[in-house]
Every structure is written in C-alpha cells, then in structure tokens.
Amino acid sequence: MAGDRDQPGAVSFHRRELPRDTCVSFASPRGKKIFTRALLKGTMRNYFALAEQFHTQQEPAYCGLATLVMVLNAMAIDPGRVWKGVWRWFSEELLDCCKDIELVKREGIDLDEFARLARCNGAMCTITTGAEVSLDEFREVVLGNMREKGAEPCDSEPCCSFLCVNYDRGVLGQTGTGHFSPVAGYNEEEDLLLVLDVARFKYPPHWVKLSLLHDAMKGERGFALLSPGTGEQGEPVLGCQGGCALRGFDRQGRPSCSRCGG
Amino acid sequence: MAGDRDQPGAVSFHRRELPRDTCVSFASPRGKKIFTRALLKGTMRNYFALAEQFHTQQEPAYCGLATLVMVLNAMAIDPGRVWKGVWRWFSEELLDCCKDIELVKREGIDLDEFARLARCNGAMCTITTGAEVSLDEFREVVLGNMREKGAEPCDSEPCCSFLCVNYDRGVLGQTGTGHFSPVAGYNEEEDLLLVLDVARFKYPPHWVKLSLLHDAMKGERGFALLSPGTGEQGEPVLGCQGGCALRGFDRQGRPSCSRCGG
C-alpha cells in the first residue's frame, strides 16, 4: 500500500477497470439489459432493500463489516444503540463486538467471524463453505432467495434471506484476494449474479457468472444467508446493547462453551 | 436534538415512517411497480449511475455535501487527491474547500454554496430556484434529464445532467425543513420523481409527486443540474488539489471578483 495525504506523489488510484471477460458493469448498457430482464423474470427479490443500503467500506479491510452493515440495515434491524445524533443505525464502527475492531482494521474478518457478528447484532445467519455445496446446490440456494414469492403466504421460516459471499477476487480476474459483498439479484437466463461490491472506490457493482463465483468460494470461503432474528415469541431481537452478548459460537450459532463462552 | 452515546435513555429514533399520502417507499410493492414501469418507459437514465453511489450523509447537516458526493462519484470525476489508502474518491471530508467544513457541520450549505463546491470539484453546475421555473418548465427539465437518449449522438452540450433538489421537507409531509438529495428517475404516467434521500437513517428512498417537489422548492431553494466539467480542449477538469482553487462565484460559475476571487 502506498499513497495518502502525507505522501504526495505516491501511487494512488481512481478506481480499477473491471475485467471485461468475467464482469459486466451494473450501469453499462449490457448491465442495464441484464438487470431489466432479471427484474421482469422476478429474480431480483432482495435488490430493492439492498440497493437502499448500498454502502462503501470505510477501511481497506472492512469488506466484511460493510457487507454486514448493508444487510442489517436492509433487514431494518434496530441496533438498539445510537449511531449519530438521535439516530439508531448500523455503521461499521457499531460492529465493535466479538472481535477487536482495531484487529479487524488490520486483518479483516473471516466467514465464521462474519456469522458471529451477524448473530450478535440481531440476525440469524447460516454459513456454508464453497466446498460444502455443488454448483447446482448453490444455484438452488440462489434461486430460492432471489425469486419473488408473490402474494402467497410463506410456509418456510425464514421465508427469505439475504445472500452474502466471501470469495477470492483473483478467480474473477480482479486484483486483490479475499473479499465480502452482498448479492442482490440473479439473471437465470444468463446464469449471472449481481454483486454489490462494497469496495465502490475500486470496482462498480457487476454481474458475474454464478459458476465463477462458486469457484471463487474456495477453502474456508463461502456464503452466508442472513434473516432477521426473532425471540421465542417471534419478537425482533435487538442487537447487543453496548457490548458483545455472546462469545464463541459454533456453526449453528450455539456458544461453543456454555461456561466461558469461548 | 437529543440522545447520543453520552446520554443513555435520551430520545432516539430507528428511522421515521414515510408519510403515506405523499411518499411511496422505493422497496414497497407499489414502489417496485412504479420503478419497473418507469424503467420500461425509458425515464430512468441516471438511475444506475446514482444507485451505484447511494450514500448516507455522515452528519445531520451534511445533506448537501452527501448529495454532491453521490453525484461527483456518479460522474466518475477524479478528485485528484487521496481519500483513504491508495484510493482517490469523493467523501464528505474531501469537500473541505469553499466553506469551512466545521461551519457546514453546524449550518449546512445553501444552493449557491452547493454550486460553488460542485464547480470547485470538477463539475459544471447550474442552479435554478423554484420561483424561477413554472411547474411545466420544471417537468421539461426533468424529462430532458431522465429520458434515455438511445444510441443517437447528442448534439447538445452537456448531453445529460444529474438533477439534485434543495427543498423543504415539510411540504412533503416529512419532519424537518431544508434538505438536499439527488433525483434518480421519473415515472411520467404518474408524474412521480424518485428521490434518493441521503438521510437514509431517517427515510428510505421514495417516489413523490413532481408538483409537490416543485412546491417544496420555495424561496432560495431550488434545483441544480450537474455534469462533468471539461477544460478548453474538452479534457476532464480535476478537482481542487488540496485547496480551494476559486472563491466567490456568480450563478454562472464566474468568479464574482476577478482580482481577489471573493
């Protein structure tokens, strides 16, 4: 890394160009066509709620926190504490539980830590590594979440979730490595996913092949499905009130040690 | 104003409900229909570029700066200086020229100051008060900017602009008074404008009657049209390089005093 206000003349960048063979920019003529077609086909269910909350990660290693901020706000979860002025609102600096935010600033978070932070802030969250699902299974998950349900009542709980991906940018032909972002839509005809990339200073939002994104979820990387958390009576669960309510979860959100929480 | 981290128990809010008789929420079923119809009718030209940059104002009085941040980034103007890390990118704290940002924090900016900041940061900007245009004239401006031009070459310069409004929230039935936000689309059949409200912690983006927004641009309030600035050879104009290049503009962007710039 080089270049900031204290180092005039150092290398700096005004955005990066998207790799043309793997990514289609959201606002390009072709991107608009892919969007319109997917909208008319009814596979953009969460797009509007996510578009309302599209957000730029505030630090180079905050992609996970920024992704979480978008989805927590998209689900209208009340953080239960004030952000600024009189307003309760999720912003990265409010996600200062579960992992020291100064450490997050240096090394980011992994998928397990992402899930922990989501649960601690009022969401239900399941995570799946790329290796755990076949391409077809991943496509089923995508369709189940992107397809408009119409007016019929939902018989599954939760009836819909927000999909976030933790992937290796390099597989998409982009510069960089591990990254998080929400997925906001699916064009089934072309098998393309809309990634609302939270590093907006680097890449615009873009459409990418579902199979390529599946390839990019290697090793411990994968995807998370988030929905609003509810209590035993179905009431919304408020986020942690000034401190981390729980420490140390297993994959199902259960504390891994009931005594020390670690 | 009341309630922050230092005042536990003070009044705070998790969003406000949109007034139902004047505003239609972007992500509501009716909002989605209005959007889809406008998209198919080709009156959402700038939507995609603005949606990419949708942003939350970072201080209660930063609505003008946040609106400018959205539009400058949507126009892909290079600020010519680093935001964070290695990235050149507009954020409110970079708009610290023309008016002391601490003063902006207390009192915000007015439409003239908005235009000055826009020009100082690489945009062309014209402003018009509500009183200067009839409802029909305002509608013409909107249509000229929201309608897709297709593949035909543009013979006007600039061929398209970004519309920002400075209005009185009270006229829309919302709490609060003076506010800025970009307008991202128009549904001609229902005469509705899409306001991407930068106070996202308060109201979601919404559709509102064009006539009501015209009513809300009273007194010194009005609208601004922004397009990328170009130099004498048509080259892009970089924003100010670490300081305010110009001080004191008239409505046409000319320094009001050529000697002192004030």
Side-chain angles (χ1 to χ4, degrees):
Chain A
M1 298 253 297
D4 58 25
R5 282 176 182 240
D6 302 323
Q7 295 172 288
V11 174
S12 70
F13 302 94
H14 183 239
R15 313 189 188 205
R16 290 272 194 187
E17 201 170 336
L18 274 176
R20 290 185 189 193
D21 49 343
T22 52
C23 302
V24 179
S25 170
F26 172 70
S28 67
R30 184 156 138 63
K32 291 183 188 181
K33 279 183 193 159
I34 295 167
F35 175 91
T36 305
R37 193 81 186 150
L39 185 65
L40 295 176
K41 287 283 181 180
T43 52
M44 299 292 289
R45 186 171 55 185
N46 289 336
Y47 170 75
F48 292 83
L50 282 170
E52 285 192 359
Q53 305 301 337
F54 201 7
H55 170 77
T56 304
Q57 63 179 81
Q58 291 298 297
E59 296 285 338
Y62 273 7
C63 54
L65 297 192
T67 299
L68 212 40
V69 160
M70 279 184 64
V71 175
L72 292 170
N73 283 331
M75 296 193 296
I77 292 179
D78 184 341
R81 55 204 190 282
V82 166
W83 164 60
K84 285 183 184 177
V86 296
W87 303 102
R88 303 193 301 275
W89 185 248
F90 281 107
S91 177
E92 281 117 316
E93 68 268 26
L94 257 71
L95 301 178
D96 57 354
C97 54
C98 302
K99 182 171 182 175
D100 178 359
I101 202 159
E102 288 304 318
L103 192 55
V104 176
K105 211 173 269 185
R106 288 199 296 277
E107 65 182 35
I109 55 176
D110 63 23
L111 192 55
D112 280 314
E113 291 162 339
F114 179 90
R116 197 176 301 180
L117 272 164
R119 292 168 190 142
C120 191
N121 284 280
M124 288 192 281
C125 180
T126 61
I127 55 176
T128 309
T129 62
E132 286 171 324
V133 284
S134 69
L135 178 58
D136 286 343
E137 286 165 345
F138 180 53
R139 191 177 286 114
E140 278 304 303
V141 168
V142 165
L143 263 173
N145 278 281
M146 301 298 164
R147 196 174 266 156
E148 292 281 354
K149 294 289 194 294
E152 314 120 51
C154 300
D155 52 9
S156 62
E157 187 59 53
C159 69
C160 77
S161 307
F162 286 82
L163 173 65
C164 301
V165 281
N166 172 216
Y167 58 104
D168 180 352
R169 276 191 186 282
V171 176
L172 273 56
Q174 302 174 350
T175 67
T177 53
H179 194 53
F180 278 93
S181 280
V183 175
Y186 179 52
N187 180 308
E188 193 176 5
E189 291 163 321
E190 300 199 50
D191 207 27
L192 290 167
L193 286 173
L194 176 58
V195 177
L196 295 187
D197 196 322
V198 292
R200 298 197 286 187
F201 45 82
K202 183 175 181 180
Y203 291 119
H206 47 272
W207 293 91
V208 65
K209 283 282 181 197
L210 182 143
S211 56
L212 197 61
L213 204 55
H214 181 257
D215 284 348
M217 300 189 300
K218 289 172 182 165
E220 290 305 301
R221 304 195 194 286
F223 63 87
L225 290 169
L226 289 89
S227 50
T230 49
E232 288 181 10
Q233 310 299 318
E235 75 280 11
V237 173
L238 284 184
C240 51
Q241 305 276 349
C244 183
L246 293 167
R247 271 181 285 175
F249 295 74
D250 67 9
R251 283 285 173 94
Q252 305 309 318
R254 297 173 296 226
S256 50
C257 168
S258 60
R259 195 159 58 83
C260 70
Chain B
M1 298 251 297
D4 59 24
R5 283 176 182 240
D6 303 323
Q7 296 172 288
V11 175
S12 70
F13 302 94
H14 183 238
R15 313 188 187 204
R16 292 271 196 188
E17 203 171 334
L18 274 176
R20 290 185 191 194
D21 49 342
T22 53
C23 303
V24 180
S25 170
F26 172 71
S28 67
R30 184 157 138 62
K32 290 184 190 183
K33 280 182 191 160
I34 296 166
F35 175 92
T36 305
R37 193 82 184 147
L39 185 67
L40 295 177
K41 288 283 182 182
T43 52
M44 299 291 288
R45 186 172 53 184
N46 289 336
Y47 169 76
F48 292 83
L50 283 170
E52 286 192 359
Q53 305 301 339
F54 200 7
H55 170 77
T56 305
Q57 62 179 81
Q58 291 298 298
E59 296 285 339
Y62 273 8
C63 54
L65 297 193
T67 299
L68 210 42
V69 161
M70 278 183 66
V71 174
L72 292 170
N73 283 332
M75 297 192 296
I77 292 178
D78 184 340
R81 54 206 191 280
V82 165
W83 164 60
K84 285 183 183 176
V86 296
W87 302 102
R88 304 193 300 273
W89 184 248
F90 281 107
S91 177
E92 283 117 314
E93 68 269 25
L94 256 71
L95 300 178
D96 57 354
C97 54
C98 301
K99 183 170 182 174
D100 178 358
I101 202 159
E102 288 303 318
L103 192 56
V104 176
K105 212 174 267 184
R106 289 200 296 278
E107 65 182 37
I109 56 175
D110 63 23
L111 192 55
D112 280 315
E113 291 163 338
F114 178 90
R116 196 174 302 180
L117 271 163
R119 292 167 190 143
C120 192
N121 284 280
M124 288 191 282
C125 180
T126 61
I127 56 176
T128 309
T129 61
E132 287 172 323
V133 285
S134 69
L135 178 58
D136 286 343
E137 287 165 343
F138 180 54
R139 192 177 284 113
E140 279 304 304
V141 169
V142 164
L143 264 174
N145 279 281
M146 301 297 165
R147 197 175 266 156
E148 292 280 354
K149 292 290 193 295
E152 313 122 49
C154 300
D155 52 8
S156 62
E157 186 61 49
C159 67
C160 76
S161 306
F162 286 82
L163 174 64
C164 301
V165 282
N166 172 217
Y167 58 104
D168 180 353
R169 276 190 185 283
V171 176
L172 273 55
Q174 302 174 352
T175 67
T177 53
H179 193 54
F180 278 93
S181 280
V183 175
Y186 178 53
N187 180 308
E188 193 175 4
E189 291 162 324
E190 300 199 51
D191 207 27
L192 289 167
L193 286 172
L194 176 59
V195 177
L196 294 188
D197 196 323
V198 291
R200 297 197 287 188
F201 45 83
K202 182 176 181 180
Y203 291 120
H206 46 273
W207 293 92
V208 64
K209 282 281 181 198
L210 181 143
S211 57
L212 196 61
L213 203 56
H214 181 257
D215 284 348
M217 300 188 300
K218 288 173 182 164
E220 290 304 302
R221 305 196 195 285
F223 64 87
L225 290 169
L226 290 89
S227 50
T230 48
E232 289 181 9
Q233 309 299 318
E235 74 280 11
V237 173
L238 284 184
C240 51
Q241 306 276 346
C244 183
L246 293 166
R247 272 180 285 175
F249 294 76
D250 67 10
R251 283 285 173 95
Q252 304 310 317
R254 295 173 298 226
S256 50
C257 168
S258 61
R259 197 160 55 85
C260 71

